[in-house]
Amino acid sequence: MDAKNTFDTPATYRLVRLEYGLGLVVASALLLTHLGEVRWLPAAGLFLYIDLVGYVPGAIAYHRSRDKRIHRAYYVLYNVMHSLVTQGLVVLAWIWLHGAEWALLVVPVHLFGDRALFGNFLKPFALDFEPVAHPAFLRFRRELGAHGADRGPLVEQLGARTP
């Protein structure tokens, strides 16, 4: 992926997930190292509220929908609640109001786990709420793979210059 080609190949997607995996390992190791100092009620609440607000309503609406089309508000809820920016602000607000504590590590554990273990990133409106391969994307990947070795035909079709 780059600034002009905002997509991942399977290899770059795995590498991005691996990077989040490292974050998951670090946050989990810190949490495990300080298990005795974790307040578990706030930790459970912080871990669960992300999905209770951001995922569960959209998942219910999606699975109840006959045509699998749901209101964009569900996507916005998911993306806001699963944003590192939003949750970083929540953590900062918590620290300001209640002080720093080890329970806050469940927030990066949740977000990094979603990305590293499940491959769940922010949801674009153009795709189903639950992971389903889009036919246009499958065609694109096939064409990209077919032309990946020489880079010529696909790049020319897309109107870009070859290096």
Side-chain angles (χ1 to χ4, degrees):
M1 178 191 333
D2 59 36
K4 300 290 182 182
N5 301 286
T6 55
F7 63 88
D8 286 320
T9 64
T12 55
Y13 176 70
R14 285 190 297 274
L15 290 171
V16 170
R17 287 181 66 184
L18 185 61
E19 289 180 353
Y20 280 106
L22 177 59
L24 175 62
V25 167
V26 169
S28 297
L30 285 169
L31 187 64
L32 291 171
T33 303
H34 298 279
L35 275 180
E37 301 168 70
V38 174
R39 290 191 317 136
W40 288 105
L41 190 59
L46 286 164
F47 188 88
L48 293 172
Y49 98 101
I50 295 170
D51 280 342
L52 290 176
V53 174
Y55 172 69
V56 172
I60 291 170
Y62 179 82
H63 290 289
R64 286 185 175 172
S65 171
R66 291 184 195 272
D67 64 1
K68 302 304 179 196
R69 293 184 186 180
I70 61 173
H71 196 276
R72 287 181 173 212
Y74 294 113
Y75 289 81
V76 172
L77 273 175
Y78 182 92
N79 291 341
V80 167
M81 294 305 294
H82 288 82
S83 164
L84 291 168
V85 172
T86 301
Q87 296 310 320
L89 293 172
V90 167
V91 166
L92 288 174
W94 186 284
I95 292 169
W96 184 57
L97 294 170
H98 305 287
E101 62 177 296
W102 294 111
L104 294 170
L105 284 169
V106 300
V107 172
V109 165
H110 182 126
L111 298 178
F112 295 165
D114 276 356
R115 287 167 170 84
L117 301 175
F118 305 114
N120 293 331
F121 291 84
L122 301 181
K123 296 185 180 295
F125 294 137
L127 300 179
D128 283 12
F129 190 80
E130 295 287 12
V132 175
H134 193 285
F137 184 72
L138 293 174
R139 286 191 307 274
F140 170 74
R141 277 190 45 197
R142 277 194 305 272
E143 190 168 338
L144 182 66
H147 298 291
D150 65 351
R151 294 200 51 219
L154 177 63
V155 172
E156 290 166 13
Q157 288 174 12
L158 295 174
R161 292 183 299 180
T162 55

